[in-house]
Amino acid sequence: MSQKLALDSISRRIVQATQAGLPLSPRPYNAIAEQLGIAPEEVIRRLRAMLEHGIIRRIGAVPNHYALGYRANGMTVWDVMNDHVDELGAKVGALDFVSHCYRRPRRLPGWRYNLFAMVHAHDRAEVEAQAAQIAALLGGHCRAHTILYSSQILKKTGLRI
């Protein structure tokens, strides 16, 4: 990422065409290319360049967990020793049942947790079993944890241009 990439009008139109999701078609990049009047290879080349330069963060599927039967969502929060939080956070984030994991600053005295890991499960008992697996992985480097359960579904969208 040594050189800054300019967001010209074509790249901006690609972002606008994809920001709400890729077309549901066997060849989504071809559909975008047709919509914009450019070659599919150009769409792919520009998306790759925008990824490499940090203009866009990722291209991926965003499943509706509720539609898939995952009704219990728990943000597990952990008080992990600072010397080990990065290393252990990477291991927690690699677990197949963790959708995202990140480090956050503590807000003492009221909030002691510095590692967050979101898990999705069919019910709360499954969330608690997943939290027990995380606790086992963290071992003695974790002083405390809790689970914050989702109470409602919020529509998540990123920035739109």
Side-chain angles (χ1 to χ4, degrees):
M1 211 161 73
S2 59
Q3 203 174 27
K4 189 172 180 176
L5 179 72
L7 189 65
D8 65 14
S9 64
I10 295 172
S11 292
R12 184 178 177 86
R13 288 174 50 218
I14 291 170
V15 170
Q16 289 171 325
T18 59
Q19 65 189 358
L22 294 176
L24 295 177
S25 72
R27 300 178 146 277
Y29 301 112
N30 290 40
I32 294 163
E34 185 176 325
Q35 175 188 339
L36 300 178
I38 60 177
E41 297 78 21
E42 182 69 6
V43 171
I44 293 167
R45 184 190 68 75
R46 286 173 176 266
L47 284 169
R48 278 191 184 130
M50 286 188 275
L51 279 167
E52 288 170 9
H53 286 83
I55 292 172
I56 58 177
R57 285 190 298 239
R58 65 183 173 88
I59 298 172
V62 180
N64 179 334
H65 294 95
Y66 290 93
L68 295 173
Y70 293 87
R71 305 272 182 221
N73 303 301
M75 178 59 78
T76 63
V77 293
W78 307 87
D79 177 8
V80 178
M81 294 179 190
N82 287 334
D83 293 345
H84 300 280
V85 70
D86 291 333
E87 170 197 345
L88 291 171
K91 290 179 180 180
V92 171
L95 295 170
D96 63 357
F97 56 83
V98 173
S99 64
H100 50 284
C101 180
Y102 46 90
R103 181 180 186 175
R104 288 286 185 258
R106 304 172 198 277
R107 299 289 183 217
L108 298 173
W111 189 255
R112 64 191 292 179
Y113 306 106
N114 61 343
L115 183 66
F116 294 56
M118 188 69 184
V119 300
H120 304 277
H122 295 93
D123 54 42
R124 287 187 177 203
E126 189 178 348
V127 169
E128 290 166 15
Q130 292 169 337
Q133 289 180 53
I134 295 171
L137 187 145
L138 297 174
H141 300 294
C142 179
R143 294 175 286 233
H145 77 277
T146 193
I147 304 170
L148 309 172
Y149 287 99
S150 299
S151 59
Q152 61 182 324
I153 302 171
L154 302 174
K155 183 178 179 183
K156 297 179 275 186
T157 60
L159 175 67
R160 301 287 192 249
I161 59 170

